[in-house]
Amino acid sequence: MEEQIGELWHKILYKVTDQTFPEAKVELSNIKGRLLIYLRALNKDNGLSIELADKRKHTNKRNWVQKMAGNHRYITACWRNEDSLYLPSDIAVYEDPKLNEDLYFWLAGLSSQIPEDKLSQIDSWISYNQVLCQQTLLQHNGLKTKYHRLVKAHIKNRPDLETLEENDRLAEEIIRDALLNPEKIQQLPETEFDPAHVPLWLYQPQEQNKKSINRDNDNNNQHSKKQKEVKDMARKKAREVESSEETTGLIAVRMENIFSWGEHAAVDRSLDDEDDLDCAETAAKEMDEIAVTNNQRASSSRLKFDLDLPSASEDDIVINDGILLPEWDFKKAELIQDHCRILELQIKNPGSSELPDHLKSTAKKLKNQFQALAPAREWRNGQQDGQEIDIDRWIRFASDKKAGQASADQLYREMRSGKRDMCCTLLADLSLSTDSWLNNDYRIIDVIKDTLLLFGESLQATGDEFSICGFSSRRRDPIRIHQLKKFNEKYNGITRGRINAIKPGYYTRLGAAIRYTTQQLTEQPQGNRLLMILTDGKPNDLDQYEGRYGVEDTRQAILEARRAGLQPFCVTIDTKGNEYLPYLFGSNSYVVIKNPIELPKRLPLLYAQLTSQ
């Protein structure tokens, strides 16, 4: 009974103090697709992705009712960095759902203004946003009406000026004036509490906390850029504590006769050679509160064994010493020459394999369909030898003979099969993520094997020249390329044996793999050259290739392939592929297979559609 009354009392207090409109809530997931298109239409920096923003502590002044209810301590603020725009999972600050939706689009427009040098030097949060608003409204005149409508409705919901003390009232008046007149650059007075949340403005990136930067810049500036972030942290609290070698084990805290247990997990985030975050992510998900401390221990004496790489005796056969390829650094806007090393491999002792029984029926149907793509048999005239006499050549020969200029060469014709001016490389992602299961029945790698087998069976029926490669990577050296079928090899039992022997491993440095296959394809004499990429996720690797860097390098590699006369096309089973693939490949050069089990049947048919013209 006591718990029920307390729960009811809390609900009443929360409802009284809640300043949002849940019935008008607009969720990001429902408009994310449109918002991405809008963001890329406005933004010169088209590589931005949209992510969920976490809650952050906001030390605004609260009344006694809000303190009793325990709310208004956190806000979900919009912010951006060089990789992503971080938006709230839902917005309900307006009574009108249309205004809440417009706020999402305004924030996307505001984030499209890349700060110039003079803008990035502005320390004041309010001045920074005023300059951003000026640039946004100047460059996108159509947003003016939407902006002023949002400001007018927002000011109605801001704190009453009469209830504020002198300094707080002055700060509130300045914020209101800045919203209404962004061209008037203003400064906020120093106050004890933060001003009320301004949802129309961008906030400071959470990873750029000034205190942490000033303290850790000398030791950790280079290392911090290379660490993979632990995701799904929106429900976590964090606090800063002093470093102590003795704070290990379990800590019991007695509060109001209730014991709570917190486990201390020592996770060192300052060292560049700490790449595997699985343990850190698991620990973080299990904790309700995360404590962060600064540790100045040196790492010069650390010794690390890499257990991921197989020994030479167990690894596949290395064909050569490696091929050096460049990589695109989007921050410098230049290609770093000889930055990646491609290692060509062949499966050791693959043996000869027959087509699996569960694929034979599908392969037979596909072969019949693909035979229609093969050019019809045709007569070749003017041959030295042949099945029939070339009548036109013979008449010309008889006339020339009477004139004394006879030449008895090329008087026959022969029936030969036609040949399409087409070649293709299928580049398959063999990263460790392909080891995951689908519906507890199939692994992704098994689906990829079936896809490669049916692809080979189908193209064999057309007579088109093709090659099949698999790739994975572990940093920039090496990028492992498995030669499953070369252009000058026949598709046979050995090829099937190689495909059946492939194993998942490592990561997805897609840009280097695309550059490698581009070189292979450009050496082929055919006029039409197709590069099909089969993957299950975004480009990623252990180093800075995770995130924006990998996306930009992949996009640059695709542009290079197109300039070389290739036609790149991506097939993915990543359900989030529509969020980033249009930026990489364009709107008509990719497809997302929602049901991965259909991939083996769909890929050959996609090839038929792409090459039918």
Side-chain angles (χ1 to χ4, degrees), residues 5 17 31 66 151 163 206 229 249 316 332 359 362 364 388 395 409 423 445 511 516 555 571 587:
I5 294 175
T17 58
I31 64 170
Q66 292 170 341
V151 169
T163 63
Q206 286 188 317
E229 295 180 358
D316 297 322
K332 299 179 181 178
L359 296 179
T362 304
K364 185 176 180 180
E388 295 182 1
I395 293 174
D409 294 334
C423 67
I445 190 65
Y516 168 80
R555 184 172 185 268
V571 182
S587 57

Side-chain angles (χ1 to χ4, degrees), residues 377 379 383 385-389 412-416:
R377 292 169 62 84
W379 286 103
Q383 303 297 313
D385 297 298
Q387 300 162 342
E388 295 182 1
I389 294 176
Y412 300 90
R413 66 175 188 163
E414 184 179 10
M415 176 68 76
R416 294 182 182 177

Side-chain angles (χ1 to χ4, degrees), residues 197-212:
H197 176 43
V198 185
L200 284 82
W201 287 349
L202 299 182
Y203 280 70
Q204 181 187 20
Q206 286 188 317
E207 76 270 16
Q208 292 180 356
N209 180 271
K210 291 183 179 179
K211 181 179 178 182
S212 297

Side-chain angles (χ1 to χ4, degrees), residues 526-539:
Q526 288 78 10
N528 300 304
R529 291 165 289 189
L530 174 64
L531 172 57
M532 296 192 75
I533 302 163
L534 178 60
T535 181
D536 68 336
K538 291 179 71 173

Side-chain angles (χ1 to χ4, degrees), residues 433-451 535-536 572-575 593-600:
S433 58
T434 61
D435 198 28
S436 57
W437 289 84
L438 299 169
N439 303 325
N440 296 323
D441 295 324
Y442 302 93
R443 291 187 307 161
I444 294 178
I445 190 65
D446 296 327
V447 174
I448 290 177
K449 289 179 182 179
D450 290 350
T451 302
T535 181
D536 68 336
T572 183
I573 59 175
D574 183 9
T575 55
I593 307 295
K594 295 183 178 180
N595 184 4
I597 305 300
E598 298 178 357
L599 181 61

Side-chain angles (χ1 to χ4, degrees), residues 58-292:
H58 189 63
T59 58
N60 59 315
K61 192 172 184 178
R62 300 184 296 158
N63 57 41
W64 66 272
V65 183
Q66 292 170 341
K67 291 179 180 179
M68 288 183 64
N71 56 6
H72 293 269
R73 293 183 300 169
Y74 297 92
I75 60 171
T76 307
C78 173
W79 58 282
R80 66 155 285 186
N81 57 18
E82 62 185 13
D83 295 333
S84 305
L85 169 63
Y86 290 82
L87 294 172
S89 60
D90 57 72
I91 292 179
V93 298
Y94 294 106
E95 194 172 5
D96 184 357
K98 182 62 170 63
L99 289 176
N100 290 321
E101 182 176 308
D102 286 347
L103 180 55
Y104 270 123
F105 285 91
W106 164 253
L107 291 171
L110 194 65
S111 70
S112 70
Q113 303 305 308
I114 304 173
E116 300 175 357
D117 292 340
K118 61 178 182 179
L119 181 59
S120 61
Q121 294 173 1
I122 299 176
D123 294 329
S124 170
W125 164 68
I126 181 174
S127 301
Y128 181 82
N129 277 282
Q130 284 184 275
V131 177
L132 280 182
C133 288
Q134 288 182 50
Q135 291 184 351
T136 304
L137 296 175
L138 184 63
Q139 294 192 21
H140 310 296
N141 192 55
L143 289 174
K144 285 185 177 180
T145 302
K146 182 178 295 185
Y147 172 72
H148 290 296
R149 188 168 61 245
L150 290 169
V151 169
K152 183 178 179 180
H154 172 60
I155 288 179
K156 293 180 181 179
N157 298 330
R158 291 195 65 79
D160 187 356
L161 291 173
E162 296 181 359
T163 63
L164 300 176
E165 296 180 0
E166 183 177 356
N167 280 353
D168 296 329
R169 183 172 61 253
L170 177 59
E172 179 62 26
E173 289 174 347
I174 292 175
I175 287 178
R176 293 186 181 199
D177 191 31
L179 285 167
L180 292 169
N181 305 291
E183 68 278 0
K184 292 170 56 179
I185 305 299
Q186 306 183 62
Q187 297 290 336
L188 285 176
E190 293 187 4
T191 57
E192 182 181 355
F193 298 97
D194 293 334
H197 176 43
V198 185
L200 284 82
W201 287 349
L202 299 182
Y203 280 70
Q204 181 187 20
Q206 286 188 317
E207 76 270 16
Q208 292 180 356
N209 180 271
K210 291 183 179 179
K211 181 179 178 182
S212 297
I213 287 181
N214 292 336
R215 183 185 59 197
D216 297 334
N217 185 61
D218 292 338
N219 296 320
N220 302 326
N221 185 45
Q222 296 300 322
H223 295 301
S224 61
K225 296 179 182 178
K226 300 181 180 180
Q227 301 303 321
K228 179 182 176 183
E229 295 180 358
V230 178
K231 298 181 180 178
D232 193 24
M233 303 298 292
R235 60 185 177 88
K236 309 299 182 186
K237 294 190 298 182
R239 60 185 175 89
E240 187 170 4
V241 299
E242 294 297 327
S243 175
S244 175
E245 296 298 331
E246 286 76 22
T247 54
T248 56
L250 297 178
I251 304 171
V253 179
R254 185 177 181 88
M255 181 180 296
E256 297 179 358
N257 297 325
I258 299 177
F259 283 101
S260 64
W261 296 84
E263 184 175 1
H264 176 79
V267 181
D268 193 343
R269 293 269 56 81
S270 64
L271 300 178
D272 187 22
D273 58 355
E274 287 192 80
D275 301 308
D276 190 355
L277 295 188
D278 291 341
C279 295
E281 185 173 3
T282 302
K285 287 183 178 180
E286 296 299 325
M287 291 181 180
D288 293 324
E289 181 175 282
I290 297 178
V292 182

